[in-house]
Amino acid sequence: MTDLSAEDLATIYAKPSPRVIAKARPAIDAHAKKFIEMSPFCVLATSGVDGSVDASPRGGGIGFVHVAGPNQLLMPDRSGNNRIDSFRNVVEGSGFVHLLFFVPGIDETLRVGGRGTLSADPDLLAAMVEFGKPPRAVLNVAVSEVYFHCGKALMRSKLWSSEKVQRSVMPSIIEVIHDQTGLGEPQSQESVEELYKTQL
């Protein structure tokens, strides 16, 4: 297998159309704001000081990421595994972040990029209580690019199709980790779901 070069790419792919280039906007407009306010889920991508990249899922109630202005997003951080890879990247790495927002039932997605900083201001945390708990920190994104992606990827994947995989085809996450590491005790999916209810 031969690795492609930049010159090779130019022979394989046509240049993007002017409209594709122009739809990258410098701020959150009315359409992007509405999309974010409907979104209960996004993927947060960050880059580390060593050039590594981390992408992690983030979710909450509909509109859990707050549009604080045309160039500002506030994302509360909820209970997780405490690895804080993303947040270490924000404070130690480049500070660049990208968010990819999803809205169930809509095939298009929204990409938002900018620079992130973190805050644990008590008043800010108190204003973002969800599931009966304040967040542990808030990611503040100074937005510099907003871009709607077409729906082809989600249409190809049939992500919102009513045909769903039964959860029973995979062992629980705790069983998987036990098999991989030998640590802890395996627990059923039902037990895991009950545990999650107290940790949201």
Side-chain angles (χ1 to χ4, degrees):
M1 185 170 63
T2 304
D3 293 340
L4 296 175
S5 67
E7 291 76 16
D8 294 327
L9 293 178
T11 67
I12 296 171
Y13 295 95
K15 289 185 178 180
S17 70
R19 186 168 67 170
V20 168
I21 299 297
K23 71 176 183 173
R25 310 308 299 163
I28 299 167
D29 67 1
H31 300 294
K33 183 175 185 288
K34 181 175 182 179
F35 197 91
I36 294 167
E37 290 173 345
M38 293 190 297
S39 175
F41 176 80
C42 69
V43 176
L44 169 65
T46 58
S47 57
V49 67
D50 60 353
S52 62
V53 176
D54 178 76
S56 63
R58 303 295 167 123
I62 292 171
F64 77 103
V65 176
H66 300 254
V67 179
N71 292 98
Q72 185 183 22
L73 289 180
L74 298 172
M75 173 190 284
D77 184 52
R78 304 297 173 189
S79 175
N81 58 19
N82 293 323
R83 283 183 55 111
I84 56 174
D85 295 317
S86 300
F87 284 177
R88 287 192 191 282
N89 286 347
V90 168
V91 299
E92 297 175 355
S94 70
F96 288 116
V97 302
H98 265 84
L99 299 156
L100 189 62
F101 289 94
F102 295 76
V103 174
I106 296 179
D107 288 326
E108 289 72 27
T109 54
L110 178 69
R111 185 176 78 201
V112 179
R115 280 189 174 271
T117 55
L118 296 176
S119 175
D121 178 79
D123 291 337
L124 182 59
L125 302 184
M128 297 184 125
V129 171
E130 191 176 13
F131 309 108
K133 303 173 185 176
R136 297 173 298 174
V138 173
L139 174 64
N140 179 15
V141 181
V143 174
S144 58
E145 182 188 53
V146 182
Y147 186 92
F148 273 102
H149 284 278
C150 74
K152 292 177 185 175
L154 271 67
M155 292 172 72
R156 292 180 187 122
S157 67
K158 300 180 180 178
L159 188 62
W160 308 131
S161 168
S162 59
E163 299 177 12
K164 297 181 180 178
V165 173
Q166 294 299 310
R167 182 62 186 83
S168 59
V169 303
M170 280 287 291
S172 75
I173 184 66
I174 293 181
E175 290 170 328
V176 168
I177 294 172
H178 179 267
D179 289 346
Q180 292 173 335
T181 68
L183 299 174
E185 296 297 327
Q187 291 179 260
S188 69
Q189 181 62 25
E190 291 76 15
S191 298
V192 173
E193 289 176 2
E194 285 300 315
L195 182 64
Y196 282 167
K197 290 177 183 178
T198 66
Q199 297 179 344
L200 292 177

